[in-house]
Amino acid sequence: MTATPVRDRVTRVDAAVRASEPAGDYRRLTLVAPEIAVLATPGQFVALAIDGADSALLLRRSFSIHRVSADAGTVEIVVADAGPGTRWITRLRAGGEVSVVGPLGRGFTSPSAPRPCILVGGGYGSAPLFWLAESLRVQGCSTHLILGAATERRLFGARSGADSVDEMVVMTDDGSAGATGLVTQPLPELLTRTHAELVYACGPMGMLRAATEIAEAHGAQAQVAVEEAMACGVGVCMTCVLPITGDDGITRMSRSCLDGPVFTGTAVRWDVIADGRVAVPADCLGAPAVTP
Ligand SMILES: Cc1cc2nc3c(=O)[nH]c(=O)nc-3n(C[C@H](O)[C@H](O)[C@H](O)COP(=O)(O)OP(=O)(O)OC[C@H]3O[C@@H](n4cnc5c(N)ncnc54)[C@H](O)[C@@H]3O)c2cc1C
Ligand code: FES
């Protein structure tokens, strides 16, 4: 495996908005940020300041990088309207401006030799996977993408992304597009058929856990891009910590903005993550001693 280096150059750019286009329930924004475009790798993210009438929102909001064009100097993101900050971003239009910090975090790691790879994206979680698939293809890997969402409108890339991969399977919970069922449902068959040893997943925590467990049961390794709520995005505040077990077998509360957002799936302590809450495992380094 070739490790993705953590970039020591993080840049803040006042980015012009080149385009804002609807994409189902989301908006795809193209931002002019050449300093970030030239450094970013698939799986990294950017943090946008919230301005205008909502400028009392002090904290930046994080978004996976959908794709970059180093030639055009642009960075694209896909944004769901989830609250006041994302609403302000989805209302930005071409000609507007937004402060962007990035590239942040550790991205996906590529295999050291050409291999079949499976990518699993839930909702807007598929946004970084097309760029990843294209870079895996350049390295000679075959790419098989499972795209899933609750409904057709919450799928991202079902039409525009087909050319980026060798095979695409679409799933929706309600059957409004593709087959009916969860995005992880076709994974066992795909693993068996392709003999893939690598699964890349981005989406809700439950999906990431399921992808990890299915991959492990088939002798494959999952890399998961987590989306833990973040405040600073740059490793200072500890808001984003998750229990991660290192190669030494010790679990530590690790910052997903700095050590992640991409982790080896089996390193994540899924046993203490549920319903959007994360507990500190009793065996975690530095966990408070429990007195009987
Ligand atoms: C590494 C990373 C990558 C992300 N990539 C994308 C992306 O590509 N596209 C996208 O639309 N969103 C993405 N998000 C989520 C996005 O950052 C949040 O939706 C956003 O911060 C919410 O801000 P708000 O002011 O609109 O809403 P708030 O009022 O702050 O929150 C609205 C709702 O969203 C929930 N929420 C807040 N933060 C997060 C979070 N980090 N993850 C999930 N739910 C959250 C809150 O619990 C609340 O229910 C990503 C988050 C992280 C950490
Ligand atoms: S968000 Fe502040 S340390 Fe990760």
Side-chain angles (χ1 to χ4, degrees):
M1 307 287 281
T2 314
T4 307
V6 177
R7 305 288 176 175
D8 53 5
R9 281 183 58 201
V10 172
T11 314
R12 189 187 67 77
V13 179
D14 290 326
V17 179
R18 176 157 297 168
S20 169
E21 298 149 308
D25 275 352
Y26 313 119
R27 284 200 85 87
R28 182 173 54 216
L29 272 79
T30 306
L31 308 170
V32 180
E35 300 88 341
I36 298 174
V38 80
L39 288 173
T41 61
Q44 290 191 294
F45 65 100
V46 287
L48 272 62
I50 311 300
D51 205 351
D54 293 324
S55 60
L57 297 171
L58 297 179
L59 300 174
R60 287 175 179 268
R61 298 322 196 245
S62 302
F63 302 93
S64 301
I65 299 174
H66 167 43
R67 55 173 72 251
V68 298
S69 166
D71 292 342
T74 54
V75 172
E76 292 179 39
I77 57 171
V78 175
V79 182
D81 178 348
T86 45
R87 191 158 313 132
W88 183 81
I89 294 168
T90 56
R91 287 177 182 163
L92 284 168
R93 292 294 179 268
E97 194 179 80
V98 61
S99 167
V100 185
V101 169
L104 297 169
R106 275 177 201 266
F108 293 106
T109 302
S110 336
S112 49
R115 301 251 159 75
C117 296
I118 298 176
L119 301 88
V120 185
Y124 59 72
S126 60
L129 298 183
F130 301 100
W131 178 30
L132 171 67
E134 286 160 17
S135 74
L136 290 169
R137 260 180 157 183
V138 168
Q139 296 167 56
C141 300
S142 64
T143 53
H144 310 264
L145 172 66
I146 315 173
L147 207 61
T151 67
E152 181 175 19
R153 288 192 60 79
R154 298 193 76 79
L155 286 170
F156 176 77
R159 290 197 193 101
S160 59
D163 291 341
S164 304
V165 290
D166 296 312
E167 177 183 11
M168 183 191 285
V169 180
V170 175
M171 304 290 297
T172 49
D173 295 358
D174 66 356
S176 51
T180 307
L182 297 176
V183 66
T184 44
Q185 234 159 275
L187 188 53
E189 186 275 329
L190 215 49
L191 279 159
T192 305
R193 174 159 55 85
T194 63
H195 305 290
E197 293 168 12
L198 269 173
V199 173
Y200 297 96
C202 186
M205 283 300 208
M207 187 207 99
L208 300 183
R209 178 178 187 165
T212 299
E213 289 171 353
I214 296 168
E216 196 182 14
H218 286 76
Q221 188 204 65
Q223 290 184 32
V224 298
V226 302
E227 209 190 82
E228 190 54 23
M230 292 181 183
C232 73
V234 291
V236 177
C237 70
M238 306 299 280
T239 304
C240 63
V241 290
L242 281 180
I244 304 293
T245 304
D247 292 341
D248 56 6
I250 297 173
T251 299
R252 298 173 178 82
M253 296 306 285
S254 303
R255 292 164 291 185
S256 51
C257 67
L258 211 62
D259 304 318
V262 177
F263 292 105
T264 301
T266 47
V268 180
R269 289 289 299 269
W270 303 109
D271 56 311
V272 294
I273 302 174
D275 304 325
R277 289 173 189 276
V278 179
V280 179
D283 60 347
C284 180
L285 192 72
V290 180
T291 44

